[in-house]
């Protein structure tokens, strides 16, 4: 990459990354955060700025060979620093994409990506918040904290970050430093074990109702934003509901396994179930659950929703629909064009959800 | 040989006097209109569009001519295709008129799904033994001549399109019309018969009084004048202009740009004329001040002084200039209504507001087209009047109308009328 081009172009602040036009990023930095977590920072080859909101993600298509899989990674950096953005990725044992990223993605490499995407964003207004993150689920939440720090907005935020051991606490030093500066930020680290660290000043274990009651006695008055592995989120959801958080104040982010799957982080008594996603059909005002292994159309039919459809095999394109938010894994047979996909369309008959979806049907 | 009775149209054809406009019935009768569409828009080559109407794979453009609806599309191999817009199941229209983007051609009625080459890919509930192989969308004979798409709906298209193809392929090459884009398009419905629309375009007798904008760059006298009716001063100027033509044509041709007039107007099936015309004034383009409207020239053009390569067919007229082209296609809608679809083409990379000013680009022909619509409506209204009697064409400035009328009568007769 031509550094000169980058420098000169970035002097033009009006030039903003346009998701309709731009899809190429250049990696400009790789940073080891913990023993198995790295941050990758990306810029636009044309030096364009990024307009995103804290909590959003990018959908990447890394060049892993012929059958590259799309992956969503939350932005961990602050939207107030728009020259580049950072995603933070944990190496997952046997994880195809995360291992490839850790082993191969170097400064100077270009990758394809779409975004910013997603609605797990910092709510407007100065309402009290609880940020709850497990493992690498810290990334979108970290972006929110960094945004609050950069904007100096009045803040009343409790931030609980759970991880396996103290050595797995991502952004540990930076968060500790931020608490010395941000008056309304209260930070709780919750390692499950002390492996690798000789002593620890606080509590260890998993999130429980008792722990949350002590750490956040006014949880019922807070907007809760949660991101982490499915069992962690299931536990957090139940605890929050039990402690009086209305559903409308509970917001969660969830992704494909490779993103935040801390498989070894066993949490509470939450049963481990197949991952399901909420799929909302706007015009019919219905929301259904679709498991990660099911097609959107198949589940919609079973739920009594009616979408125009015919081949059920990605050939005819009759079910073509607008995907308002979320991401899917689509295996079509020519029934849709790339430029239609780029414009936000997909075929529910041959698409499995990778996140919660909102569909304009 | 099969004996046929002469149709009532035959007697109308018989009654046309040489050198005169057509009998009223040929302009206004419904049965003549039906016959015209059949003869001139189904059995002859017609210009239906441009390659740049479908710039990317999956782009489709539907054009309707009489009861026929044609899909112009670009397939995944970047090839142009033209197919009938009729599903092979029960005949439903597949695409709506106008432009769309398709991944397959899917009939909205029962979802019969065709590949972009027309092959039937998927037909639900037709049984395992259903033979899809003979149910492709029916292709239309077409030729892309320098990026202009000519189609013929007959199984037996006229062979003499080859002359047009040979002449225009060479003349259009430097303009690279395939790599243009439609910067602007207008659809004007003229209240007149399609032949009046074409006749109006074939003479410039009416230009000096009716087209002040066009006459800045277009020389009305290029299409004939009566020396006796000009003032001595005008006559001298006209004679100088004609002498200039000989010189200009010679010098353009020496530079490798074929320029001399080529006409195939009578005693032929495919009717066309082309010539490189001089642009007057600043000499560059058909704009309000005759200077180029786009700074990004077409194709491999490096000069703005190469005049206006004009091309007529029997349903289109075109002007190819260094910086842009104006392409008009004429579609008959009824005996007394005719669609004139005009497209302004610029280099595909030219950016509006940067390389060209849209107002400057379109001003002359927007005005001219509106003025022509008014003139055609007047002609048609007059031809409906019982007092109308065919009048004589000027032997100086309307010889091409006489040729058009003669060709029209000949072609009708050749098709049994």
């Amino acid at each position: 990459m031509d550094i000169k081009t980058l420098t000169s172009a970035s002097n033009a602040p009006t030039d903003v990354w346009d998701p309709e036009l731009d899809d190429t990023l250049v990696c400009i930095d790789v940073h080891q955060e913990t023993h198995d977590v790295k941050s990758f920072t990306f810029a636009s080859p044309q030096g364009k700025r990024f307009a995103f909101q804290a909590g959003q993600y990018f959908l990447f298509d890394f060049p892993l060979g012929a059958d590259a899989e799309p992956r969503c990674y939350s932005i961990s950096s602050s939207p107030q620093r728009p020259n580049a953005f950072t995603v933070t990725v944990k190496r997952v044992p046997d994880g195809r994409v995360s291992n490839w990223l850790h082993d191969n993605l170097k400064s100077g490499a270009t990758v394809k990506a779409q975004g910013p995407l997603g609605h797990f964003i910092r709510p407007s207004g100065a309402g009290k918040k609880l940020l709850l993150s497990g493992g690498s689920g810290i990334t979108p939440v970290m972006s929110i904290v960094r945004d609050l720090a950069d904007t100096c907005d009045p803040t009343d935020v409790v931030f609980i970050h759970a991880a396996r051991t103290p050595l797995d606490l991502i952004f540990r030093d930076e968060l500790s430093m931020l608490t010395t500066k941000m008056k309304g930020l209260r930070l709780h680290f919750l390692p499950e074990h002390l492996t690798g660290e000789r002593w620890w000043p606080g509590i260890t274990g998993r999130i429980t109702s008792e722990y949350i009651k002590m750490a956040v006695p006014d949880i019922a008055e807070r907007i809760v934003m949660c991101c982490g592995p499915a069992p962690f989120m299931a536990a957090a959801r139940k605890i929050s509901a039990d402690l009086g958080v209305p559903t409308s104040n509970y917001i969660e982010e969830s992704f494909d396994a490779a993103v935040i799957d801390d498989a070894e982080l066993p949490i509470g008594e939450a049963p481990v179930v197949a991952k399901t996603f909420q799929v909302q059909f706007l015009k019919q005002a219905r929301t259904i659950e679709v498991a990660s292994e099911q097609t959107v159309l198949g589940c919609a039919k079973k739920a009594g929703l009616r979408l125009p459809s015919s081949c059920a095999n990605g050939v005819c394109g009759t079910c073509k629909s607008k995907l308002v938010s979320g991401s899917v894994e689509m295996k079509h047979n020519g029934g849709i064009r790339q430029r239609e996909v780029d414009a936000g369309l997909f075929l529910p008959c041959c698409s499995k959800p990778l996140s919660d979806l909102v569909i304009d049907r | 040989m099969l004996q046929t009775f002469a149709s009532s149209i035959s007697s109308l054809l018989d009654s046309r006097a040489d050198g005169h406009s057509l009998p009223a019935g040929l302009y206004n009768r419904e049965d003549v209109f039906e016959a015209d569409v059949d003869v001139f828009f189904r059995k002859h080559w017609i210009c239906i569009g441009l390659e740049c109407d479908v710039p990317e794979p999956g782009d489709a453009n539907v054009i309707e001519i009489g009861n026929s609806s044609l899909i112009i599309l670009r397939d995944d191999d970047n090839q142009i295709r033209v197919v009938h817009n009729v599903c092979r199941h029960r005949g439903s229209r597949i695409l709506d008129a106008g432009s769309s983007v398709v991944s397959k051609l899917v009939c909205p009625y029962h979802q019969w799904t065709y590949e972009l080459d027309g092959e039937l890919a998927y037909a639900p509930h037709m049984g395992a033994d259903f033979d899809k192989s003979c149910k492709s969308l029916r292709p239309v004979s077409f030729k892309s001549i320098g990026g202009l798409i000519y189609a013929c709906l007959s199984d037996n298209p006229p062979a003499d399109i080859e002359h047009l193809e040979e002449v225009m392929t060479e003349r259009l090459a430097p303009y690279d019309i395939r790599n243009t884009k439609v910067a602007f398009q207008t659809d004007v419905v003229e209240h007149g018969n399609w032949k009046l629309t074409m006749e109006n375009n074939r003479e410039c007798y009416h230009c000096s009084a009716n087209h002040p904008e066009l006459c800045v760059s277009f020389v009305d006298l290029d299409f004939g004048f009566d020396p006796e009716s000009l003032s001595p001063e005008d006559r001298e100027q006209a004679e100088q202009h004609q002498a200039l033509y000989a010189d200009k044509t010679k010098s353009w041709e020496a530079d490798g740009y074929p320029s001399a007039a080529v006409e195939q107007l009578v005693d032929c099936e495919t009717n066309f004329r082309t010539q490189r015309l001089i642009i007057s004034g600043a000499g560059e383009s058909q704009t309000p001040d005759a200077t180029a409207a786009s700074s990004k020239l077409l194709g491999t053009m490096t000069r703005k002084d190469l005049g206006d390569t004009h091309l007529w067919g029997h349903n289109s007229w075109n002007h190819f200039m260094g910086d842009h082209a104006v392409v008009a296609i004429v579609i008959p809608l009824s005996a007394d209504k005719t669609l004139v679809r005009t497209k302004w083409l610029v280099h595909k990379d030219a950016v509006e507001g940067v390389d060209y000013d849209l107002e400057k680009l379109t001003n002359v022909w927007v005005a001219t087209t509106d003025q022509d619509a008014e003139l055609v409506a007047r002609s048609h209204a007059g031809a409906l009047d019982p007092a109308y009697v065919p009048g004589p064409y000027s032997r100086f400035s309307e010889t091409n109308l006489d040729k058009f009328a003669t060709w029209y009568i000949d072609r009708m007769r050749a098709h049994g009328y």
Side-chain angles (χ1 to χ4, degrees):
Chain A
M1 198 42 53
D2 183 353
I3 299 292
K4 256 201 272 182
T5 308
L6 263 175
T7 316
S8 61
S10 64
N11 290 334
T14 50
D15 214 359
V16 174
W17 164 278
D18 181 351
E20 298 289 317
L21 298 176
D22 295 313
D23 67 354
T24 303
L25 293 168
V26 56
C27 178
I28 57 168
D29 183 58
V30 179
H31 179 71
Q32 189 91 38
E33 300 283 359
T34 71
H35 62 98
D36 63 352
V37 173
K38 282 183 177 179
S39 284
F40 301 91
T41 299
F42 297 99
S44 144
Q46 296 83 28
K48 294 183 178 180
R49 291 169 175 243
F50 298 94
F52 63 92
Q53 298 189 68
Q56 288 194 298
Y57 62 89
F58 266 74
L59 174 61
F60 291 88
D61 223 347
F62 295 114
L64 266 73
D67 51 345
E69 294 161 27
R71 280 289 187 283
C72 313
Y73 288 106
S74 286
I75 300 166
S76 55
S77 55
S78 166
Q80 306 304 327
R81 305 179 186 199
N83 286 346
F85 72 87
T86 303
V87 301
T88 302
V89 180
K90 180 183 159 70
R91 187 193 283 273
V92 178
D94 302 323
R96 218 165 75 83
V97 176
S98 66
N99 278 289
W100 180 88
L101 273 171
H102 273 251
D103 296 336
N104 296 289
L105 190 63
K106 302 278 186 287
S107 196
T110 56
V111 299
K112 295 278 181 194
Q114 293 173 45
L117 299 162
H119 294 278
F120 182 78
I121 52 174
R122 177 188 156 191
S124 55
K128 300 201 285 184
K129 290 170 200 71
L130 166 61
L131 305 177
L132 259 175
S133 64
S136 55
I138 194 171
T139 51
V141 182
M142 189 65 191
S143 178
I144 292 172
V145 172
R146 285 170 163 163
D147 187 24
L148 288 166
D150 284 345
T151 53
C152 299
D153 285 348
T155 303
D156 185 346
V157 172
V158 181
F159 185 174
I160 298 176
H161 177 51
R164 230 175 326 140
T165 75
L167 296 182
D168 294 302
L169 292 166
I170 306 168
F171 310 126
R172 179 178 170 180
D173 292 344
E174 182 180 343
L175 282 168
S176 303
M177 190 274 288
L178 283 175
T179 56
T180 66
K181 179 184 150 198
M182 294 171 67
K183 292 165 193 66
L185 177 67
R186 256 189 305 146
L187 178 68
H188 300 280
F189 286 133
L190 181 64
E192 194 187 358
H193 310 290
L194 288 188
T195 315
E197 186 123 328
R198 286 166 57 205
W199 70 278
W200 178 252
I203 294 172
T204 59
R206 305 167 183 173
I207 54 165
T208 60
S209 197
E210 289 71 28
Y211 171 80
I212 297 287
K213 262 192 268 185
M214 278 196 295
V216 206
D218 57 352
I219 183 171
E221 298 158 25
R222 290 178 180 269
I223 292 173
V224 181
M225 298 189 71
C226 179
C227 184
F232 174 83
M233 292 204 295
R237 189 162 52 230
K238 184 169 188 310
I239 292 166
S240 301
D242 289 350
L243 295 180
V245 177
T247 320
S248 57
N249 281 354
Y250 188 87
I251 305 166
E252 65 181 35
E253 178 70 312
S254 57
F255 281 126
D256 187 34
V259 184
I260 50 168
D261 192 359
D262 282 3
E264 305 100 305
L265 185 74
I267 298 291
E269 52 275 45
V272 177
V273 290
K275 179 160 284 190
T276 63
F277 298 102
Q278 303 291 310
V279 176
Q280 186 186 355
F281 294 85
L282 284 178
K283 288 183 180 142
Q284 302 182 60
R286 288 276 309 275
T287 300
I288 63 169
E289 293 208 331
V290 180
S292 55
E293 284 312 302
Q294 296 172 315
T295 66
V296 174
L297 180 71
C299 285
K301 273 188 169 171
K302 278 184 208 138
L305 277 151
R306 288 290 170 254
L307 303 186
S309 67
S310 180
C311 72
N313 194 26
V315 174
C316 73
T318 304
C319 63
K320 200 175 290 167
S321 302
K322 177 94 180 164
L323 186 57
V324 178
S325 72
S327 61
V328 296
E329 179 189 16
M330 177 163 64
K331 293 203 167 118
H332 69 83
N333 286 302
I336 190 165
R337 292 206 160 265
Q338 186 56 43
R339 56 184 157 134
E340 296 176 290
V341 176
D342 295 344
L345 297 171
F346 82 121
L347 301 180
C349 72
C350 56
S351 293
K352 296 169 179 175
L354 293 170
S355 72
D356 287 351
L357 308 177
V358 178
I359 300 168
D360 188 24
R361 278 286 195 187
Chain B
M1 195 169 166
L2 187 67
Q3 290 291 312
T4 53
F5 292 104
S7 73
S8 68
I9 295 174
S10 300
S11 56
L12 267 178
L13 299 172
D14 291 343
S15 69
R16 192 239 161 179
D18 283 350
H20 284 66
S21 61
L22 297 174
L26 293 178
Y27 293 122
N28 58 33
R29 267 171 44 176
E30 281 303 323
D31 58 338
V32 174
F33 175 74
E34 301 288 329
D36 277 6
V37 170
D38 184 52
V39 171
F40 296 95
F41 289 82
R42 301 192 62 84
K43 298 198 165 85
H44 286 81
W45 289 98
I46 50 173
C47 186
I48 59 167
L50 295 153
E51 286 203 24
C52 65
D53 286 325
V54 287
E56 282 185 60
D59 280 335
N61 189 273
V62 169
I63 183 161
E64 293 177 344
I65 297 151
N67 290 333
S68 296
S69 179
L70 312 179
I71 304 174
I72 304 170
L73 59 91
R74 190 176 289 270
D75 71 15
D76 289 303
D77 298 326
N78 228 12
Q79 298 301 306
I80 300 288
R81 293 184 181 268
V82 183
V83 293
H84 286 280
N85 188 15
V86 181
C87 182
R88 297 301 307 277
H89 174 217
R90 282 165 50 202
S92 164
R93 288 277 182 252
I94 296 169
L95 298 182
D96 295 335
S99 292
S100 49
V101 177
V102 294
S103 29
K104 312 256 177 186
L105 292 163
V106 186
C107 179
Y109 201 173
H110 303 95
Q111 288 69 52
W112 280 33
T113 301
Y114 303 86
E115 299 291 351
L116 297 191
D117 64 4
E119 186 192 331
L120 180 59
Y122 164 71
H125 306 295
M126 292 301 291
D129 56 345
F130 176 61
D131 181 10
K132 289 188 293 194
S133 62
C134 53
K135 293 288 177 220
S136 298
L137 289 176
R138 295 180 55 208
V140 174
S141 300
F142 79 96
K143 279 175 180 288
S144 170
I145 299 176
L148 275 66
I149 301 171
Y150 285 82
C152 181
L153 294 168
S154 151
D155 293 334
N156 196 10
D160 66 355
I161 183 88
E162 279 172 14
H163 189 36
L164 167 67
E165 187 172 18
E166 188 193 321
V167 171
M168 292 315 297
T169 299
E170 187 185 11
R171 293 196 177 199
L172 291 179
Y175 300 98
D176 194 11
I177 298 303
R178 287 188 173 87
N179 283 307
T180 57
K181 67 171 179 183
V182 180
F184 193 66
Q185 174 172 327
T186 60
D187 278 2
V188 171
V189 175
E190 295 189 346
H191 291 269
N193 187 266
W194 72 278
K195 297 188 290 294
L196 292 172
T197 299
M198 297 313 304
E199 287 190 47
N200 175 69
N201 184 259
R202 290 204 170 189
E203 46 96 352
C204 224
Y205 189 172
H206 72 271
C207 288
S208 61
N210 291 282
H211 297 317
E213 295 84 358
L214 181 66
C215 284
V216 172
S217 51
F218 201 83
V219 186
D220 58 335
L221 302 179
D222 284 353
F223 288 84
F225 59 91
D226 174 5
E228 300 303 319
S229 67
L230 295 182
S231 68
E233 198 179 321
D234 283 353
R235 192 164 57 230
E236 191 186 338
Q237 204 182 346
E239 277 157 9
Q240 278 174 4
H241 185 67
Q242 284 196 320
L244 185 64
Y245 253 105
D247 290 350
K248 270 279 186 190
T249 301
K250 208 166 146 191
S251 108
W252 280 330
E253 296 209 322
D255 291 340
Y257 297 97
S259 305
V262 176
E263 289 185 349
Q264 180 171 290
L265 296 174
V266 285
D267 300 326
C268 61
E269 293 180 85
T270 303
N271 182 308
F272 82 99
R273 182 190 198 278
T274 184
Q275 184 183 7
R276 190 180 300 274
L277 304 174
I278 290 175
I279 293 173
S280 63
E284 295 178 353
S285 192
Q286 289 171 343
T287 61
D289 63 358
T291 62
S294 176
S295 58
K296 202 177 267 299
L297 300 186
L298 296 179
T300 56
M301 300 291 282
T302 51
R303 293 164 54 177
K304 299 177 187 169
D305 65 342
L306 287 170
D308 160 25
T309 297
H310 99 112
L311 168 66
W312 288 339
H314 76 271
N315 86 312
S316 73
W317 55 81
N318 307 271
H319 296 277
F320 303 98
M321 294 157 284
D323 67 322
H324 80 280
V326 180
V327 172
I329 294 170
V330 171
I331 307 287
L333 302 176
S334 63
D336 60 358
K337 281 198 177 57
T338 303
L339 172 67
V340 176
R341 175 166 291 168
T342 310
K343 299 172 195 192
W344 284 259
L345 312 181
V346 292
H347 189 287
K348 73 171 169 20
D349 297 330
V351 177
E352 185 184 337
V354 178
D355 299 307
Y356 65 93
D357 171 356
L358 191 64
E359 165 65 22
K360 181 175 179 184
L361 181 78
T362 57
N363 174 296
V364 167
W365 274 102
V366 165
T368 304
T369 304
D370 286 346
Q371 291 150 359
D372 282 334
E374 177 67 30
L375 297 168
V376 169
R378 277 177 179 276
S379 292
H380 191 89
L384 285 175
D385 192 317
Y388 168 79
V389 179
Y393 292 131
S394 157
R395 66 190 163 93
F396 298 105
S397 53
E398 290 177 312
T399 51
N400 284 315
L401 276 66
D402 187 36
K403 286 177 184 168
F404 181 70
T406 303
W407 176 81
Y408 170 82
I409 302 274
D410 287 352
R411 297 317 304 154
M412 288 290 273
R413 292 206 190 289
H415 286 280
Y417 291 98

